């Protein structure tokens, strides 16, 4: 496929294989455009680590993120899109042909669709980085089973924190939501469920100051922002381990395009209704984009629009 000397020529390069990228891949390949969707890890993005996608039309109340993504991948591939596990290391978007460099080689594309999404925000407190994977986790779906009958703290008050906390109650003995304000940000129907769950407790106006442990999380140090009171919550001796699941939002993964593609102050890429960025032939779709609602349904929609507009752009700029 690639000999290391010449760049492989594509019509459309999609960067990121979450719902936005997979939808773009599906639409672009269905329009007979030679399309590769580049993914640095596992396809699916944030959806893969989501237990239930209850609000994607037609997915059904119990649709799991992983099965939804598996069907998206299959569908995109059935139209000819190639989904490649090959992390994009550099891009040059300035010319008519855009260049994409990965460890496997260099690709040239007439159009690029950026669908790199976001990554979980970190608390940034002492112990968090050191104990990630040792009690600190950003994925309840992946790690809930490790906390069977243990005590778990979920940090944040948005949809993700409350939904994942509800999921964790199926495993953990007790789940405490630690929120920096005294009111949840999550949607009403989610918070109502949470308030009715006997295994869920809340610590309001509270932040995590430190996560402690030798090899695994043994304790969390919490600070009440109103009173200044510091509390230590320690794992029971027989448990030996606490869970800490921060769900405090996302940061856009836009580093590769910094300085080239116009973004807002938080790093979200600015597009028009056609998902066009400030650079001809470069589109953005999904959570990476500045927009009012980040959901699977809006990501899939963005991907479709971006691919159709990329098709029109390629058609109008034949060379
Ligand atoms: P989010 O809505 O931005 O909520 C982040 C939460 O973390 C907020 O409660 C925020 O507190 C808190 N927070 C932020 N920084 C913090 C810090 N440094 N320390 C402590 N707490 C901090 O993020 P999200 O819940 O991850 O959701 C992201 C997007 O995905 C949203 O658009 C959401 O609607 C969507 N989503 C939807 C669903 C669903 O519809 N089922 C599920 C998951 C996610 P404040 O409230 O005080 O700002």
């Amino acid at each position: 496929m690639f000999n290391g000397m010449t760049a492989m020529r594509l019509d459309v390069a999609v960067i990121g294989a979450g719902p936005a990228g997979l939808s773009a891949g599906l639409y672009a390949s269905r329009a007979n455009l030679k399309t590769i969707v580049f993914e640095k890890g596992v396809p699916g993005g944030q959806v893969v680590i989501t237990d239930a996608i209850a609000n994607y039309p037609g997915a059904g109340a119990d649709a799991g993120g992983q099965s939804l993504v598996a069907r998206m991948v299959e569908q995109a591939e059935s139209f000819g899109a190639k989904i490649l596990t090959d992390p994009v290391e550099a891009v040059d978007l300035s010319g008519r042909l855009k260049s994409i460099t990965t460890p496997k080689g260099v690709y040239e594309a007439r159009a690029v669709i950026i669908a790199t999404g976001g990554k979980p925000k970190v608390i940034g407190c002492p112990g968090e980085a050191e104990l990630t994977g040792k009690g600190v986790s950003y994925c309840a779906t992946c790690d809930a089973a490790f906390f069977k009958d243990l005590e778990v703290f979920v940090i944040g008050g948005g949809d993700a924190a409350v939904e994942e906390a509800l999921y964790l109650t199926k495993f953990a003995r007790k789940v405490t939501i630690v929120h920096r304000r005294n009111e949840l940000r999550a949607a009403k129907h989610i918070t109502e469920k949470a308030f009715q769950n006997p295994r869920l407790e809340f610590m309001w106006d509270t932040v995590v100051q430190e996560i402690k442990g030798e090899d695994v999380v043994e304790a969390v140090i919490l600070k009440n922002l109103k009173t200044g009171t510091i509390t230590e919550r320690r794992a029971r001796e027989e448990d030996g381990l606490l869970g800490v699941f921060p769900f405090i939002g996302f940061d856009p993964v836009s580093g590769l395009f910094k300085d080239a593609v116009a973004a807002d102050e938080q790093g979200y890429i600015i597009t028009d209704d056609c998902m066009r960025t400030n650079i001809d032939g470069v589109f953005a779709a999904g959570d990476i984009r500045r927009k009012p609602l980040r959901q699977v349904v809006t990501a899939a929609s963005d991907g479709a629009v971006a691919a159709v507009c990329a098709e029109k752009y390629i058609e109008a700029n034949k060379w």
Side-chain angles (χ1 to χ4, degrees), residues 236-261:
R236 284 184 188 169
E237 209 160 309
E238 63 269 32
D239 289 352
L241 166 70
L242 279 183
V244 179
F245 286 78
F247 292 108
I248 59 170
F250 290 94
D251 282 326
V253 179
S254 51
L256 267 180
F257 320 101
K258 213 168 156 239
D259 305 326
V261 181

Side-chain angles (χ1 to χ4, degrees), residues 181-192:
R181 292 186 295 133
N182 63 0
E183 191 185 12
L184 295 173
R185 176 183 292 279
K188 198 161 168 261
H189 70 278
I190 303 174
T191 59
E192 275 170 3

Side-chain angles (χ1 to χ4, degrees), residues 71-100:
R71 291 199 300 277
M72 286 183 181
V73 167
E74 201 182 315
Q75 202 176 356
E77 286 178 336
S78 76
F79 289 114
K82 218 178 194 33
I83 293 147
L84 214 58
T85 306
D86 201 7
V88 174
E89 292 175 332
V91 290
D92 181 352
L93 304 173
S94 54
R96 279 204 305 180
L97 272 179
K98 319 296 180 193
S99 134
I100 293 113

